[in-house]
């Protein structure tokens, strides 16, 4: 006998099927597949799988609404959030905008997806249309007053959209790192072309591929990696793999007809120098692109670290191509990355990271400017708290009608009220003391979690703890919204190119957020 629709077990199993669809990015039609139906029947003969119509309509909507309400409740107690957003085009040539939200709750960093929806006017990619689409999501989630920054790439339309929304814009640091390297890849195009030609030839030739595998003389032979023009690190991976397998590549090319010329000794010297410097950029890109730990405070110290290391390596460059390439990198770092030290968000975040504080800055004057900005923020927070406290007291006085205690004279202690009222004027002094107490202590170890630090030390450093929640929630990159592209690309396959936009949004939302609820 099958479970009836009101059975708690039936509801649990239906929920598990919806979660499987979202987590594993399975098509709704899996419930009609013979193998899956047979498996479910063996596991529980009493369970009757829902139809694709019930699954994609009622059950998906219920699960989405449930998780959305829980997330909205969680975010209602959060004072500060940051957003990332990016646009992309699906296989069905629909223009989507993905928005992610980042916030600190219980001294932990959270990254969630708010929306993956078509633009309000899908044909129009103007900044006004993008701004209207973002505002629609902001209003849905009721977070307009909480947003500290919006992180996007450097597209003019995105920057203008943030201006229209009157929100602080922060340019994606990973995107800028990519531009720094891409600026200079053209300087080494001849040798890059040699590498690409070799990889293309071996990948496209069955006989060459077989010889290449045998020549490696390994149980797990490596495969060559082709460059992707839009990602600098794909060139790095290609070069690194070529250097690891260069001997096998050389023997392979000599055994196959019409093969390109193997790399010369000079070529290998150039590639070896390139890998040394690109390795630093790869480390920086990985470090700055996380979503589960604080990244915004890394921007200024990472820039300084990149510059110092690239300058050191430049003194050991022997090839002309290597020298030309690394000089271009240094110039690009100065042009594209140094300006981050003048950005309010990055400056204050570095100060609030106990690992860096003032020592993470390249120019001491920028650290001093950041301290002034932080002081202003601290005073503002304390003033708001005082105003909120007074409002509550007035409300309590209006509600309460408790009579005065006998013998108490208001006039007798009038001087206290005057002094308390004037106390707000000394907030700046309190802020300076708190700030010094924090900045003058020894910096934390490099493996310290800054949010854990503020959890332990924050109570004695108010309002710095609140400032940390405000700024450290901001991601340094828009990578999280870009990651949704690959997820959604797996949802909108050729098999499911006609999937409704609202279901694309719900599945992406559940896929990214369901694990936390």
């Amino acid at each position: 006998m099958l479970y009836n629709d009101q059975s708690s077990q039936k509801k649990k199993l239906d929920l598990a099927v919806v979660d499987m669809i979202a987590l594993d990015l399975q098509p709704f039609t899996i419930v009609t597949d013979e193998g899956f139906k047979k498996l479910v029947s063996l596991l529980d003969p009493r369970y009757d799988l829902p139809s694709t119509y019930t699954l994609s309509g009622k059950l998906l909507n219920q699960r989405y609404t449930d998780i959305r309400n829980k997330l909205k409740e969680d975010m209602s107690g959060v004072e500060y959030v940051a957003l990332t957003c990016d646009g992309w085009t699906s296989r069905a040539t629909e223009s989507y905008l993905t928005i992610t939200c980042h916030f600190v709750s219980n001294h932990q960093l959270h990254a969630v997806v708010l929306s993956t929806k078509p633009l309000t006017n899908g044909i129009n990619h103007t900044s006004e249309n993008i701004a209207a689409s973002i505002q629609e999501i902001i209003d849905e989630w009721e977070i307009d007053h909480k947003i500290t920054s919006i992180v996007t790439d450097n597209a003019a339309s995105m920057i203008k959209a943030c201006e229209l929304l009157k929100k602080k814009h922060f340019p994606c640091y990973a995107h800028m790192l990519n531009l720094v390297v891409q600026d200079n890849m053209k300087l080494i195009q001849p040798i890059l072309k040699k590498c690409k030609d070799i990889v293309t030839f071996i990948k496209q030739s069955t006989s060459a591929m077989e010889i290449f595998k045998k020549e490696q003389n390994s149980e797990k032979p490596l495969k060559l990696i082709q460059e992707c023009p839009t990602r600098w690190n794909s060139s790095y991976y290609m070069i690194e793999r070529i250097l690891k397998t260069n001997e096998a590549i050389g023997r392979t090319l000599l055994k196959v007809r019409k093969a390109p010329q193997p790399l010369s000794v000079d070529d290998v010297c150039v590639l070896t120098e390139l890998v040394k410097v690109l390795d630093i950029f790869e480390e920086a890109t990985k470090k700055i692109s996380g979503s589960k730990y604080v990244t915004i405070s890394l921007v200024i110290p990472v820039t300084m670290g990149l510059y110092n290391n690239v300058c050191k390596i430049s003194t050991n460059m022997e090839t002309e191509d290597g020298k030309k390439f690394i000089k271009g990198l240094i110039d690009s770092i100065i042009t594209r990355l140094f300006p981050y030290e003048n950005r309010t968000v990055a400056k204050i975040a570095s100060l609030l990271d106990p690992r860096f504080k003032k020592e993470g800055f390249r120019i001491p004057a920028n650290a001093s400017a950041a301290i002034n900005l932080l002081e202003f923020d601290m005073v503002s927070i304390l003033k708001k708290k005082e105003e909120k406290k007074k409002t509550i007291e007035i409300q309590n006085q209006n509600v309460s009608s408790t009579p005065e205690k006998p013998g108490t004279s208001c006039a007798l202690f009038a001087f206290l009220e005057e002094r308390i009222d004037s106390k707000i004027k000394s907030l700046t002094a309190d802020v300076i003391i708190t700030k010094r107490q924090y900045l003058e202590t020894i910096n934390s170890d490099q493996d310290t979690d800054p949010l854990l630090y503020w959890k332990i030390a924050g109570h004695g450093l108010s309002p710095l703890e609140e400032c940390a929640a405000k700024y450290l929630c901001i991601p340094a990159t828009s990578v999280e919204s870009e990651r949704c592209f690959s997820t959604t690309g797996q949802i909108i396959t050729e098999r499911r190119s006609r999937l409704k936009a609202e279901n694309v949004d719900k599945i992406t939302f559940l896929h990214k957020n369901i694990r936390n609820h």
Side-chain angles (χ1 to χ4, degrees):
M1 183 177 176
L2 297 175
Y3 296 117
N4 64 55
D5 290 340
Q6 301 306 314
S7 165
S8 60
Q9 184 64 9
K10 162 74 171 168
K11 291 178 180 178
K12 284 181 183 178
L13 291 170
D14 283 347
L15 184 65
V17 173
V18 176
D19 286 359
M20 179 196 70
I21 297 289
L23 290 171
D24 300 337
L25 303 178
Q26 295 290 343
F28 294 122
T29 53
I30 192 172
V31 295
T32 65
D33 292 347
E34 289 301 316
F36 185 67
K37 287 164 70 176
K38 184 178 179 181
L39 173 64
V40 170
S41 178
L42 286 171
L43 292 171
D44 192 338
R46 297 183 62 190
Y47 178 57
D48 185 29
L49 282 163
S51 67
T52 54
Y53 178 78
T54 302
L55 189 61
S56 64
K58 179 183 175 184
L59 295 177
L60 178 65
N61 190 56
Q62 285 178 349
R63 188 60 169 150
Y64 170 79
T65 302
D66 181 44
I67 298 298
R68 189 179 184 279
N69 289 341
K70 287 179 180 176
L71 179 56
K72 202 166 184 180
E73 185 181 346
D74 290 346
M75 290 175 60
S76 66
V78 175
E79 288 196 54
Y80 306 105
V81 303
L83 303 182
T84 78
C85 65
D86 213 337
W88 56 281
T89 304
S90 74
R91 287 173 180 263
T93 64
E94 284 186 295
S95 297
Y96 281 84
L97 188 72
T98 293
I99 299 176
T100 68
C101 182
H102 306 255
F103 56 91
V104 173
S105 178
N106 296 322
H107 296 92
Q108 289 187 326
L109 189 62
H110 298 265
V112 299
V113 174
L114 297 186
S115 172
T116 302
K117 291 182 179 179
L119 288 168
T120 302
N121 180 346
I123 302 172
N124 195 340
H125 288 205
T126 63
S127 53
E128 288 80 8
N129 192 33
I130 292 170
S133 300
I134 295 172
Q135 188 64 57
E136 187 179 317
I137 305 306
I138 289 172
D139 292 342
E140 278 183 27
W141 287 87
E142 300 173 355
I143 54 173
D144 201 339
H145 61 292
K146 299 182 178 185
I147 298 171
T148 58
S149 188
I150 299 179
V151 184
T152 76
D153 61 22
N154 262 347
S157 57
M158 285 291 186
I159 297 172
K160 180 65 175 176
C162 292
E163 288 178 8
L164 293 171
L165 292 167
K166 297 181 180 177
K167 302 297 180 188
K168 190 180 291 293
H169 174 261
F170 189 83
C172 171
Y173 189 76
H175 180 249
M176 204 64 75
L177 276 177
N178 184 55
L179 291 177
V180 167
V181 183
Q182 292 286 16
D183 284 346
N184 300 285
M185 281 299 184
K186 59 181 179 290
L187 301 175
I188 52 169
Q189 275 306 309
I191 194 165
L192 278 181
K193 187 177 184 305
K194 283 186 183 180
C195 293
K196 287 188 282 186
D197 289 346
I198 289 171
V199 173
T200 300
F201 177 80
I202 292 178
K203 278 182 169 290
Q204 291 181 351
S205 170
T206 306
S207 58
M209 180 63 78
E210 287 302 314
I211 295 170
F212 177 61
K213 288 178 181 177
K214 289 178 182 177
E215 289 295 339
Q216 290 184 61
N217 194 25
S218 170
E219 292 182 5
K220 294 182 179 179
L222 298 172
K223 293 181 180 180
L224 294 177
I225 299 170
Q226 186 55 283
E227 179 206 40
C228 171
T230 58
R231 297 288 180 185
W232 76 264
N233 50 5
S234 65
S235 300
Y236 166 75
Y237 298 142
M238 177 182 71
I239 295 169
E240 187 184 43
R241 184 59 53 85
I242 283 175
L243 289 175
K244 282 183 179 178
T245 59
N246 186 48
E247 291 185 7
I249 289 172
R251 291 193 293 267
T252 299
L253 297 178
L254 292 174
K255 292 179 180 180
V256 184
R257 292 182 59 203
K258 298 182 179 179
Q261 286 292 315
L263 295 171
S264 67
V265 174
D266 289 341
D267 291 335
V268 172
C269 288
V270 172
L271 292 176
T272 301
E273 289 186 340
L274 293 179
V275 163
K276 282 181 183 177
V277 66
L278 290 178
D279 186 55
I280 302 167
F281 282 86
E282 170 69 358
E283 183 185 354
T285 301
K286 285 182 176 179
K287 204 171 193 66
I288 211 77
S289 300
S291 61
K292 296 181 179 178
Y293 56 87
V294 173
T295 54
I296 187 65
S297 60
L298 298 173
V299 169
I300 291 174
V302 162
T303 298
M304 186 64 178
L306 275 173
Y307 180 74
N308 287 344
N309 279 279
V310 171
C311 286
K312 283 180 183 177
I313 292 174
S314 68
T315 60
N316 298 320
M317 286 286 175
E318 296 179 355
T319 67
E320 287 305 312
D321 282 343
K323 290 176 182 177
K324 188 165 55 176
F325 181 65
I326 205 163
K327 182 184 181 303
L329 284 177
I330 292 171
D331 291 342
S332 292
I333 289 172
I334 292 170
T335 303
R336 292 191 181 275
L337 302 185
F338 276 12
Y340 276 95
E341 193 162 307
N342 294 314
R343 290 190 169 273
T344 299
V345 164
K347 286 194 291 192
I348 295 180
S350 289
L351 277 183
L352 290 169
D353 192 319
R355 297 170 294 178
F356 307 124
K357 299 183 181 180
K358 295 180 291 184
E359 288 67 38
F361 288 78
R362 182 176 60 89
I363 300 174
N366 288 336
S368 299
I371 291 170
N372 292 334
L373 289 169
L374 181 58
E375 285 179 10
F376 180 80
D377 238 24
M378 291 169 72
V379 171
S380 296
I381 287 172
L382 288 177
K383 283 182 179 179
K384 283 180 183 178
K385 285 185 176 181
E386 288 289 339
E387 289 168 5
K388 188 176 180 181
K389 184 180 176 182
K390 284 182 179 179
T391 302
I392 293 171
E393 286 175 353
I394 291 169
Q395 289 172 347
N396 290 339
Q397 286 173 5
N398 292 337
V399 173
S400 174
S401 59
T402 307
E404 274 189 28
K405 292 182 181 179
T408 301
S409 171
C410 293
L412 185 60
F413 296 109
F415 74 96
L416 278 176
E417 291 180 15
E418 292 173 7
R419 290 185 177 181
I420 291 170
D421 288 340
S422 66
K423 196 172 183 180
I424 195 166
K425 297 175 184 177
S426 67
L427 287 181
T428 303
D430 293 341
V431 159
I432 290 171
I433 292 169
T434 303
K435 176 210 67 182
R436 283 180 179 170
Q437 186 181 344
Y438 163 67
L439 291 177
E440 292 178 8
T441 55
I442 297 173
N443 293 38
S444 300
D445 295 334
Q446 286 304 306
D447 59 353
T448 300
D449 177 351
L451 295 179
L452 182 59
Y453 170 90
W454 287 109
K455 181 179 181 179
I456 296 169
H459 297 300
L461 294 170
S462 179
L464 279 174
E465 183 183 15
E466 189 169 337
C467 289
K470 178 180 179 180
Y471 288 97
L472 299 185
C473 71
I474 303 169
T477 73
S478 59
V479 168
E480 192 62 19
S481 53
E482 291 177 19
R483 285 185 180 125
C484 288
F485 301 170
S486 58
T487 297
T488 316
Q490 295 175 61
I491 295 171
I492 309 176
T493 60
E494 289 181 11
R495 227 176 125 194
R496 295 188 290 175
S497 61
R498 295 175 64 186
L499 195 65
K500 291 179 181 177
E502 62 182 282
N503 283 346
V504 172
D505 180 32
K506 289 172 184 176
I507 293 171
T508 307
F509 178 89
L510 290 173
H511 179 78
K512 291 293 184 179
N513 300 330
I514 206 169
R515 294 174 182 85
N516 300 323
H517 295 86

